[in-house]
Structures are given as C-alpha cells and as structure tokens.
Amino acid sequence: MENGENNQRISKGRLQRVKQISNEIGKVPPQAIELEQAVLGAMMLEKSAVNDAIDVLGTPEAFYDPKHQAIFNCIQQLFGASEPIDLLTITEKLKQLGELELAGGVVYLSSLTQRIGSVAHIEAHARIIIQKYIQRQVIKMSNNLLKNSFDETKDVFELLGNAQEELFAITQNNMKKGYHTMQTSMMEAMAEIERATKIQDGVSGIPTGFKDLDKITAGWQRSDMIVIAARPAMGKTAFVLSMARNTAVDYNQGVAVFSLEMSNVQLVKRLISSETRIPAEKLRKGNLADHEMQQLHSRITRLTNAPIFIDDTPGISIFELRAKCRRLKDKYDINMVIIDYLQLMTAGSNNKGVGSREQEISQISRSIKEIARELNIPVIALSQLSRSVEQRGGDKRPVLSDLRESGAIEQDADIVSFIYRPEYYGITEDDYGPTQGVGDIIIAKHRNGATDTVRLKFIGKYARFENRDAAFDEHEEVMPSAMNPSAGFEDQPNTMTVRSKMDEIEDDFNFSSNDFDDTPF
C-alpha cells in the first residue's frame, strides 16, 4: 500500500502542476479526455489496438487525466511482461500496484470498454492525444522560461541554452520516426543508384577538391560523420580550411565552419595567405610590396563571395551547435559542417546526466552523428590524438586506438582519417616515396568503402595542401610581371591549407618540422 500511496501522490502532483500552469495563463491546458477514454477502452478489448497505440503514446504522461495515466502505466507493464491485456488483468494489476482507486475503480474501468464501438481509428486517436501532450509540454516549458526571464539572477545565455535543450528533448522524445517498407526503401535506393550512374566524375557526395581522396570516398557522403584526427603540428585546421575553400569556391557548395579555438579573422587571414600565395607573416606585419597589394586584391574576389559561414563561439555546446546548423541549413542551404575541434565542445550547461569527460565526449560524438543524419549533410569533426603516438617507435603512423578520450568517436564515425606528415619525424623516404613537402591522409575506417592512404602536396611556405599533380613549385617565388601584376596567378590551382591554433608556437604560419612544440592541447 505504501507504493500505491506514493504513486497517488506523484499523479496528484502532476495534476497540480498542470492546474497551476492553467491558472497562471488563464486557460485550460490542451486535452482530449474522450479520446483518452476511447483509446484505453479499445486497448482493453483488442490486442491489435495495443500494438497500434502503445508505441505512439510512449509515456503515461501523454494522458491528461491522472486516472488514465495509472491505467496506461498498468497496460505498459502487462505488455512488457507479455501478459494478456483485458479488463480483468488490468483490474488485478492495479490492485497489486495499489492504484485501483486512483484509476477510478472497477466501475470506471468497465465503463471505458462500453464506450467503444470500433477500434479502427485507434492510431489516429492516439496521435491526437500525443499532440495535446506535446502542446502541454511546450506550455510548461514556455511558462518556466517566462518566469526565469524575469529573474535577474539567471544568466541569459544559460537561460537560452536550457530552453534549446528542453525544446530538443521534447522533439526527441515525441517525434519518433516510423518504419520503412521494403518497397519504399527499394525505390529510394534505386533512385540513388540511378543518380550515381549519371555522374561522370564518380563523386556522388560533397567534393573535397582533392582528386585521389574523392575517388576513394566518392566525396563526403550525406548524413555521414567524418572524423579527421592528428597530433599537433600536422595541419588539421589547414586541411579542413583547404577543403572548405575548394568545396565553396570551386563547387559553390555552402560550408559552415565552427571554430572553437580561433577567431573568424584569424581563419580568414589563413585563407587569404593560401589563396594569394603571400606568406602569412607578411600579412600579419603588413609589409607588402606594391605588386603584393595588387596580387592581394586581385586574388581574393572569389574567396570573398564564397558561401563559407564561420562561427567562432568558444566552448560551444552541442545544443547550440544543433540550433545553429539548423538555421544555417534553412537560410543558406549549407551542404557541409566542419567542427574545429571536437574536444573543445561541451555537452551543455545542464549536464547532470554526464559523468566523466570520456562520457561527455561520447555524448557529443553521438549528437554530432544525429545532426548529420537529421540535416542529411556530412559533418566533419576534427579530433586530437593521444600521446601514445609519440611514445612508440617506428614511423609513428597513427592508428584507431590513438583517438583521444573516447572509443565512441571511432564507433559513431562513418569515416575516420588521420593526417600524417612523415617529414615531421625526420623520415625522408617511405613506401610511398620521398616525404619532403607531402602529407598523408590515412583513411583508417570507412564504413561504406575501402581504406587507403592519399598523399597530398604540402607547401610549408603558404601552409597549403593541394593535389600532387598541381602545377606549382614549392620553392618558386611568386613575382608578377611588371607589365601585368596579376600575371601568372589566375591559372594557379586553388586548394589550400592552414594550421590550427593548437599547432602554433611563435610563428603562426611556419610549418617547419623543427618549430613545433608537441605538447598536446
């Protein structure tokens, strides 16, 4: 009986909260009592009605009346135990739970079954009930937000974060995706195959501008989570900025870049350095010759008009990221998201359910994959590697077990790739040939394709990655003709690279292998 009394107190408490909200806003909360009665009565009469409605409703709180909450809770328990569900078994179970009186008694239970003429429309009735429940949840959330907004002691950004989190929770808990029949799935699969056959270059996803990489991946595929990991000084930010530039400028695909460690101006300066082939040190100090100023202005036009959107919010939470990605998708139809880098993110201000940092990273990783699937775009997350790479002998090529802080990153990612520059470790030649001025993109995990290594050209002077067959000499000085200051630049390849701030020491843009502190971030 003690358990039953406790359940009664909980249900009465729920009703009191609903009434409180109702009184405060001066209106009766959305409800559909008659439909609640009809659905429960149908579930008592027909097994098929239980199968149709129980997954749609989900929780006892979907019902407005506390009596109906108790009855549905009982039906859920019987269903979970694979026991028969009818008037008698429900009555007996309610007695065991000490909730028969709360549920209205035997007479009320019997009256529910007498209200039903047909169970044909039970799923439609259940969906109306859940819609009313969602409305009540939104009203409750809005009421709390209104109260907290008048509280001067509340941090406004925490308030916004909590509101986004609550709205997201309402969506996740109630907007359940249904199953697909084999017929509809087959039609979608065949449509994708037919589209792929019409693509001449074999790139069915979002192109990176690196030909060998696109051959292996067919471009970054929509809904994929791609992890690009490396030790400090390998050029993680450099690589993704090059890729962002190629995708946006050469293919006119919208790209969102979330930089958690560098400002938007710092990133743009790196893009300018790579695009114009003017050393970043000169841009920083401002000691540009006349021809370099002309070169600067003539080369940045395409970059200026590129659909690249940079958000430099430090320590962004996963909920803020989701909201911003949705807005960018709706407003600008972005086709790729880049996060630099994953370990600098937080799970959110309301982080009670997360224990260790490893668990938090796991939650962030899962959420990033959900964003990719929800928006149907590839999401690229940069990640740190552990010190174990430096501590072992040999060529120090990274492996999947080197991913830092969480195995969930490897599990959630569709593609895991590493950036590796053997020249950094003093290796002058390997199985792929000379290592001077090159960087390897190691595809270590590829859920829907092959694993391989792609070798790119790395131009340290401009912190730039590009295709190996690009017609540019790393040691060539770019000196436009006096007669035509912009001569020789329009035909240059347009792929670029810039380093992450975590790779900096004294000189932001010097990628010399002797100039980097290998201390992890």
Side-chain angles (χ1 to χ4, degrees), residues 204-216:
S204 58
I206 306 302
T208 67
F210 299 118
K211 295 184 296 185
D212 291 339
L213 182 60
D214 285 340
K215 284 179 183 177
I216 296 171

Side-chain angles (χ1 to χ4, degrees), residues 7-24:
N7 290 334
Q8 289 184 34
R9 283 197 299 271
I10 293 172
S11 295
K12 288 179 180 177
R14 290 172 183 161
L15 184 59
Q16 287 173 356
R17 288 196 299 273
V18 172
K19 287 181 177 178
Q20 180 184 359
I21 295 171
S22 175
N23 293 333
E24 288 175 357

